[in-house]
Amino acid sequence: MGIIVVNTKAYKEGMGKNAVKLAKIMEKVGNEYGINMAIAVQPTDVAIVAKNTSIDVFCQHIDAIDYGSYTGWISPYAVKEAGAKGSLINHSEHRMKIEDISKAIKIAKKIGLEIIACASNVDVTKAIACLNPDYVAVEPPELIGGDISVTKAKPSIVKNAVSTVKKINSEVKVLCGAGIKSGEDVAKAIELGTVGVLVASGVVKAKNKEKVLEEMAKAIK
Ligand code: G3P
């Protein structure tokens, strides 16, 4: 089944009550179209969104730490206990060292959190696929937040990411993101071999979020 992952970043439109509202719209559209929907929210919003909706909630980041003296870091254990299904890690806006990506994935596996690890290009996608996350999301940083989608501007990156991951670790599912705005972008992402998209501004900043999500869900179907 295809998946739409919406990253709310630190947008006002996707924070606190607005995160819950958006998750509820995603839940409705996901049920209507039989599409998996997941929302990656601020750590502080994990609990409230998980409590109020049935879609999968991901924390926007976790740190590669165990229990202990780690003031101010984001504990995978706390995130799990708050109701998260998983975590997005290594986003271009919050990059991690490879050692920490590896450790975070190991801890996540141990406690039953799914991981979507971001990669800025095909080489990084390759490296991350070796670490065995559940998903790798390829997102060229220069296209993030823009109006031209990765599927239009750089389809070869998506295609190569998919074929590379297949060769290295076929268990890892591939998503793509950056500039995804329309059903057409989502359809192209699927055509290029991904299982879905990671999208932020195209949904979070949209006036009519339900309409955009419906269009994307139709395209995945
Ligand atoms: O995590 C998704 C994000 O980086 C893509 O952002 O606004 O281009 O959809 P956007």
Side-chain angles (χ1 to χ4, degrees):
M1 199 194 285
I3 183 166
I4 296 173
V5 184
V6 175
N7 176 8
T8 64
K9 303 200 173 186
Y11 290 132
K12 189 175 180 195
E13 297 87 341
M15 207 180 277
K17 286 190 190 102
N18 289 338
V20 176
K21 250 194 232 163
L22 173 56
K24 284 192 169 154
I25 298 172
M26 292 174 69
E27 178 179 63
K28 179 170 173 248
V29 176
N31 288 339
E32 242 167 62
Y33 290 88
I35 297 297
N36 267 336
M37 292 274 184
I39 188 164
V41 297
Q42 289 277 319
T44 42
D45 287 333
V46 168
I48 191 172
V49 177
K51 211 173 282 169
N52 286 289
T53 64
S54 62
I55 64 168
D56 292 341
V57 180
F58 281 66
C59 187
Q60 280 174 23
H61 172 75
I62 49 169
D63 286 301
I65 54 166
D66 284 304
Y67 288 116
S69 34
Y70 298 102
T71 307
W73 294 68
I74 301 176
S75 159
Y77 300 89
V79 161
K80 169 82 181 172
E81 209 171 312
K85 168 90 171 180
S87 177
L88 187 66
I89 61 169
N90 196 44
H91 192 278
S92 275
E93 293 151 11
H94 199 140
R95 290 199 180 140
M96 297 165 79
K97 286 192 280 189
I98 192 97
E99 292 93 333
D100 291 338
I101 300 172
S102 166
K103 188 171 174 199
I105 292 171
K106 286 204 176 93
I107 296 171
K109 290 245 141 108
K110 187 173 78 187
I111 64 176
L113 282 176
E114 285 187 7
I115 290 289
I116 303 171
C118 297
S120 54
N121 60 37
V122 178
D123 285 341
V124 177
T125 301
K126 209 180 203 173
I128 286 182
C130 296
L131 305 176
N132 209 25
D134 298 277
Y135 298 86
V136 58
V138 62
E139 296 199 323
E142 69 279 9
L143 298 173
I144 291 178
D147 285 326
I148 304 166
S149 76
V150 59
T151 54
K152 272 194 199 114
K154 301 208 162 151
S156 59
I157 288 196
V158 181
K159 214 174 168 187
N160 292 339
V162 170
S163 61
T164 302
V165 170
K166 212 175 258 172
K167 271 183 238 150
I168 290 182
N169 186 348
S170 58
E171 307 257 284
V172 178
K173 292 166 271 193
V174 181
L175 301 170
C176 70
I180 303 279
K181 293 274 184 299
S182 65
E184 191 192 338
D185 297 335
V186 174
K188 187 72 187 170
I190 300 294
E191 190 192 312
L192 292 167
T194 69
V195 298
V197 292
L198 175 59
V199 53
S201 54
V203 170
V204 183
K205 294 267 194 189
K207 271 205 182 109
N208 190 337
K209 299 175 181 39
E210 186 166 340
K211 194 165 159 243
V212 176
L213 283 163
E214 272 177 353
E215 198 192 306
M216 291 182 174
K218 265 186 222 160
I220 282 209
K221 253 197 137 177

